[in-house]
Amino acid sequence: MADLKITMPDGREKEISEATTPLQIASAISPSLAKKSVVAKVDDHYIGMNEVIRFSGKFKLVTKDEDEALDVLRHSTAHLLAQALRHLHPQIHLGVGPSIANGFYYDTDDLAEADKQVAADEFPAIIAEMKKLVQQNIPINNRPVSRQEALKIFAADPYKTALINDLPENEEITVAEQGDYTDLDRGGLVPSTGWIKHFALTSVAGAYWRGKSDNQMMQRIYGLSEWDASRLEEQKKALEERKERDHRTIGKQMELFFTSQEIGAGLPVWLPNGAAIRRTIEDYLVEKERQNGYMNVYTPVVSNLDLYKRSGHWDHYRDDMFPAMTADDGEQLELRPMNCPSHIAIFEHEPRSYRDLPYRIAEFGQMHRWEKSGALTGLSRVREMTLNDGHTVVSPEQVEPEFKDILRLIREVYADFGFTDNDYRFRLSYRDPNNTQKYFDDDAMWKHAQAALKRAMDDMGLDYFEAEGEAAFYGPKLDIQFKTALGNEETMSTIQLDFLLPERFDMKYTGEDNQDHRPVLIHRGVVGTMERFVAFLIEKYKGQFPTWLAPVQAVVIPVNNGAHGDYAKSIYSKLMKDGRRIKLDNRDEKLGYLIRDAQVNLKTPYILVVGDQEVKDHTVTVRFRGSDYTKEMSVDAFVEMINDDVANYSKGSDKVKEMLNK
């Protein structure tokens, strides 16, 4: 008599005994299937290939060719790392060790020795121990244990004990046994250590236990794991490429920005070179906005807390806001997390009519968010940021045409920065229909607004995908998703429809019928925050910014400062007065050193070398970035070329091509 029933992927029901393992089922179907099956699932529960199936449900074998199997492999490699660490450091304590995109990590802490953590120079010894365990082909099995047994097993490890104590009383606890090593685990591991053949350890970093800054700082060890050696090599190369493009490394090398605990975590300081890039972007966008009917404003970085209570930000985002400050008269002030309430106040400053609509205002508004210290990263995750923010107040009939105009503006900006349609994709972000409590309660509004966005995208003939649960609490939005140079996907730009704030702030305009009407508010960010956008550009260009954005567009170097310095200064002055960002490098160093410094550290587009011949002929010798090619030309010809390069946003300047082809 069968004890259990499982439903196979084709819908057939199969009766099995309680002694049946997934490996037996796979082998009965096909020996080749058994060889490539990594793990099994019954409903959402992982079952090891050699483990007994303990309950009924939908059965599935996960094979090597599935993405899920790679997660299983990486998770298993994290366990392999932990076992090797326990052999090398018997007193080490272990936190969690999940698979992540492109690899895995394990959090460790050697509390037995004060301030001692695993260092990267130990990687060869750790990898050697891991390989020994692979050669032993140690079976890996999960089994359920009581809470008491689990606490006994992990009595010496405070982190595992904390995880056990936080589990609900009725939740089943399972452990993974791997030879002399036991770990907490819900399942989802390869059958034995012999399956783990191609892996590497890549780096270590500090990580707070459970991501909270008031908890113990642990050592996070990162690694890679793949099914085949060639793919592992590809991942290693990709990792090196990511390191080379890391905006923090390049930012330091090019002297663009820095962060300091003395100033405050997550509060970046823009150095002159970085400020030059940022100012160029801001000037460009302000002019673009002016051309598209926006009025630029400045509003306070701190406001009365009641403003954010009225807007709903205090209720919905309180945990992400800085603590309120109390003035001596009792007024509570808040560092603003959003600019929209201030922009609404500008609209309401005087009566408006339908003739004022669409009413467009924009600001590079400084905002503050209380990011966890463990999440802060260079310019990409900060506590103070400046958003290229804009708001349009429209009548309901103007929603779709204004949405299209905003999207056209965004795409024009993208083109000037050299982005193509292949660099991004569109996401229509809707509310979650199964969890409507966290959204503005107006079913008709959501249906109408989501349909309007969809209709506008269809009218423009643009491809998009839809995502439920990604909307803001006050309305649906279009998110423009970019693939970063480091392989992640991030939201660059957003267009949000808002029907809630006009209600909360009692916004109104006088219609053609002389009656009051409720407008719709459209939130718009063309390139997001300056911090994240510049980080994105640093990594995209690898620091080699196009001429119009480059912090230093050309470096003038005299071969001999005594003989050629005055002529070099005259060229420098001419270019500076012409609006270019120029550096005169007349340091008492060898010419080769100065050229390499301009090429490698400043990554400048043009290097102008002047010596005896150039002084005599009133010319410059130009070195072009990314090429060994040099060309002697008149100063006026170079000025014309670089100005044309900048004016065309460095998109294949005809003058540059002309000079290179002469």
Side-chain angles (χ1 to χ4, degrees):
M1 184 72 179
D3 301 301
L4 300 171
K5 285 185 179 180
I6 58 172
T7 303
M8 303 299 285
D10 61 4
R12 291 183 298 110
E13 283 195 346
K14 184 179 182 67
E15 294 183 340
I16 61 172
S17 71
E18 285 191 344
T20 305
T21 66
L23 183 61
Q24 291 172 334
I25 295 174
S27 299
I29 296 171
S30 161
S32 61
L33 178 62
K35 287 182 180 179
K36 67 178 184 178
S37 292
V38 179
V39 74
K41 294 180 81 173
V42 177
D43 292 334
D44 292 327
H45 302 281
Y46 280 111
I47 307 292
M49 293 301 294
N50 295 310
E51 296 168 22
V52 170
I53 299 172
R54 297 185 288 114
F55 38 82
S56 302
K58 293 181 179 179
F59 181 82
K60 179 182 184 297
L61 291 166
V62 179
T63 57
K64 275 188 176 182
D65 53 2
E66 298 179 63
D67 290 341
E68 189 173 5
L70 189 54
D71 285 336
V72 169
L73 175 67
R74 290 168 173 167
H75 182 194
S76 304
T77 313
H79 280 240
L80 180 70
L81 167 63
Q83 185 176 16
L85 287 170
R86 189 55 62 72
H87 286 182
L88 297 172
H89 299 277
Q91 302 302 316
I92 199 166
H93 295 137
L94 302 168
V96 294
S99 67
I100 55 174
N102 303 319
F104 65 91
Y105 70 78
Y106 217 117
D107 288 341
T108 70
D109 186 21
D110 194 351
L111 290 179
E113 298 183 49
D115 299 324
K116 187 177 188 309
Q117 301 285 15
V118 176
D121 58 12
E122 291 185 68
F123 283 179
I126 297 170
I127 290 173
E129 184 64 24
M130 292 171 72
K131 288 181 177 179
K132 286 182 185 178
L133 297 171
V134 169
Q135 291 172 352
Q136 294 172 24
N137 196 25
I138 303 167
I140 304 172
N141 289 292
N142 275 66
R143 68 178 178 90
V145 296
S146 67
R147 183 176 296 267
Q148 291 73 22
E149 184 180 357
L151 289 171
K152 183 178 180 181
I153 293 171
F154 301 104
D157 198 316
Y159 301 109
K160 299 297 183 184
T161 301
L163 292 172
I164 295 166
N165 287 330
D166 284 350
L167 291 173
E169 285 294 330
N170 59 348
E171 184 165 334
E172 182 181 68
I173 300 173
T174 58
V175 296
E177 296 178 327
Q178 187 170 305
D180 59 3
Y181 174 70
T182 302
D183 203 344
L184 277 177
D185 192 76
R186 293 178 178 174
L189 299 169
V190 296
S192 67
T193 58
W195 285 62
I196 310 169
K197 298 183 184 299
H198 309 289
F199 55 87
L201 300 182
T202 57
S203 63
V204 294
Y208 290 112
W209 171 236
R210 292 180 165 175
K212 295 181 179 179
S213 59
D214 52 351
N215 283 345
Q216 173 73 20
M217 174 67 77
M218 304 184 74
Q219 192 80 327
R220 179 167 293 177
I221 304 174
Y222 287 95
L224 303 172
S225 186
E226 296 290 337
W227 288 117
D228 58 80
S230 62
R231 179 59 182 159
L232 179 64
E233 288 306 309
E234 289 176 11
Q235 288 291 78
K236 285 181 179 179
K237 290 178 182 177
L239 183 61
E240 286 304 311
E241 175 72 8
R242 287 196 289 273
K243 287 180 180 178
E244 290 176 7
R245 289 184 182 271
D246 191 312
H247 78 276
R248 295 166 296 182
T249 302
I250 296 173
K252 182 177 181 180
Q253 178 188 21
M254 295 182 68
E255 297 185 341
L256 303 179
F257 71 95
F258 72 88
T259 57
S260 162
Q261 284 293 337
E262 185 178 5
I263 291 174
L267 304 174
V269 176
W270 294 83
L271 294 167
N273 286 344
I277 299 170
R278 172 173 167 166
R279 188 161 48 250
T280 300
I281 296 169
E282 290 178 354
D283 290 346
Y284 162 82
L285 287 170
V286 167
E287 178 59 20
K288 269 289 187 184
E289 289 168 340
R290 186 196 64 77
Q291 293 172 9
N292 284 269
Y294 286 88
M295 299 170 286
N296 280 85
V297 299
Y298 296 98
T299 57
V301 71
V302 62
S303 298
N304 190 302
L305 179 60
D306 289 340
L307 187 68
Y308 302 112
K309 288 182 177 179
R310 186 178 181 187
S311 69
H313 290 110
W314 185 249
D315 290 335
H316 287 269
Y317 297 118
R318 186 182 310 179
D319 291 343
D320 298 321
M321 295 168 65
F322 272 67
M325 301 170 282
T326 303
D328 57 2
D329 61 357
E331 181 184 18
Q332 287 192 292
L333 300 170
E334 177 65 33
L335 285 168
R336 68 178 174 192
M338 304 282 187
N339 303 310
C340 33
S342 302
H343 290 185
I344 291 171
I346 292 175
F347 178 82
E348 293 184 313
H349 181 62
E350 59 184 79
R352 309 291 179 183
S353 81
Y354 69 94
R355 293 185 181 89
D356 297 314
L357 307 184
Y359 184 85
R360 305 181 182 100
I361 54 177
E363 177 181 13
F364 280 90
Q366 195 177 63
M367 309 184 308
H368 293 78
R369 305 278 175 85
W370 187 253
E371 294 279 1
K372 293 179 179 178
S373 57
L376 299 172
T377 307
L379 292 177
S380 57
R381 290 293 291 273
V382 294
R383 286 176 173 160
E384 180 185 83
M385 65 217 73
T386 301
L387 178 65
N388 163 233
D389 210 358
H391 292 89
T392 306
V393 184
V394 296
S395 67
E397 298 77 24
Q398 294 171 329
V399 166
E400 289 183 47
E402 184 66 14
F403 174 88
K404 293 176 184 177
D405 285 345
I406 294 171
L407 186 50
R408 289 190 191 99
L409 167 62
I410 290 173
R411 298 186 78 202
E412 285 177 12
V413 170
Y414 287 173
D416 285 343
F417 279 95
F419 306 148
T420 69
D421 291 348
N422 294 327
D423 291 320
Y424 56 88
R425 59 182 186 148
F426 299 108
R427 180 180 75 191
L428 288 181
S429 297
Y430 304 148
R431 71 168 176 171
D432 183 350
N434 299 316
N435 184 19
T436 59
Q437 297 88 343
K438 66 177 183 176
Y439 301 100
F440 176 43
D441 186 16
D442 187 334
D443 291 341
M445 178 280 286
W446 282 98
K447 183 177 180 181
H448 171 75
Q450 291 177 178
L453 291 187
K454 183 177 175 66
R455 193 162 50 245
M457 294 295 289
D458 290 338
D459 287 347
M460 296 180 76
L462 298 172
D463 293 330
Y464 57 88
F465 69 101
E466 298 167 298
E468 293 180 344
E470 295 294 334
F473 76 91
Y474 45 73
K477 57 179 177 169
L478 172 73
D479 292 317
I480 305 180
Q481 304 296 109
F482 267 74
K483 194 71 171 286
T484 71
L486 303 188
N488 304 314
E489 187 173 77
E490 293 181 357
T491 300
M492 178 76 73
S493 310
T494 301
I495 308 174
Q496 301 176 342
L497 300 189
D498 186 350
F499 295 80
L500 174 60
L501 291 188
E503 290 284 343
R504 289 196 166 177
F505 284 90
D506 194 25
M507 296 175 68
K508 61 186 70 170
Y509 66 93
T510 303
E512 291 185 77
D513 58 1
N514 288 322
Q515 301 298 312
D516 286 342
H517 294 267
R518 185 76 71 210
V520 179
L521 184 65
I522 302 179
H523 306 251
R524 174 239 74 183
V526 174
V527 295
T529 69
M530 284 295 96
E531 289 73 15
R532 182 168 289 186
F533 187 55
V534 171
F536 174 86
L537 293 177
I538 292 170
E539 292 174 354
K540 171 182 170 60
Y541 296 125
K542 214 171 181 178
Q544 298 185 36
F545 290 93
T547 306
W548 77 284
L549 285 173
V552 177
Q553 295 167 329
V555 175
V556 184
I557 304 176
V559 175
N560 180 291
N561 195 43
H564 316 120
D566 289 343
Y567 180 61
K569 286 179 183 177
S570 70
I571 296 170
Y572 166 79
S573 297
K574 180 179 179 62
L575 288 165
M576 286 288 284
K577 289 177 181 178
D578 212 44
R580 302 282 66 84
R581 295 186 290 275
I582 307 299
K583 178 181 179 181
L584 174 63
D585 197 344
N586 54 8
R587 289 177 292 170
D588 188 19
E589 299 282 357
K590 291 183 179 179
L591 179 63
Y593 173 84
L594 298 178
I595 291 173
R596 282 194 301 275
D597 186 53
Q599 289 175 330
V600 175
N601 294 324
L602 282 180
K603 306 183 192 300
T604 185
Y606 301 106
I607 300 174
L608 311 182
V609 178
V610 294
D612 290 340
Q613 192 65 44
E614 288 80 11
V615 171
K616 177 183 176 182
D617 297 340
H618 300 288
T619 60
V620 292
T621 295
V622 183
R623 289 175 173 266
F624 298 82
R625 184 177 61 196
S627 171
D628 293 331
Y629 180 78
T630 62
K631 186 173 184 64
E632 186 177 351
M633 64 179 72
S634 70
V635 175
D636 287 341
F638 176 75
V639 170
E640 184 180 0
M641 182 184 71
I642 192 172
N643 286 347
D644 183 66
D645 192 2
V646 171
N648 284 280
Y649 304 115
S650 307
K651 294 185 294 186
S653 166
D654 291 337
K655 293 293 181 183
V656 176
K657 291 178 182 177
E658 182 183 332
M659 290 297 171
L660 288 173
N661 292 330
K662 277 186 178 180

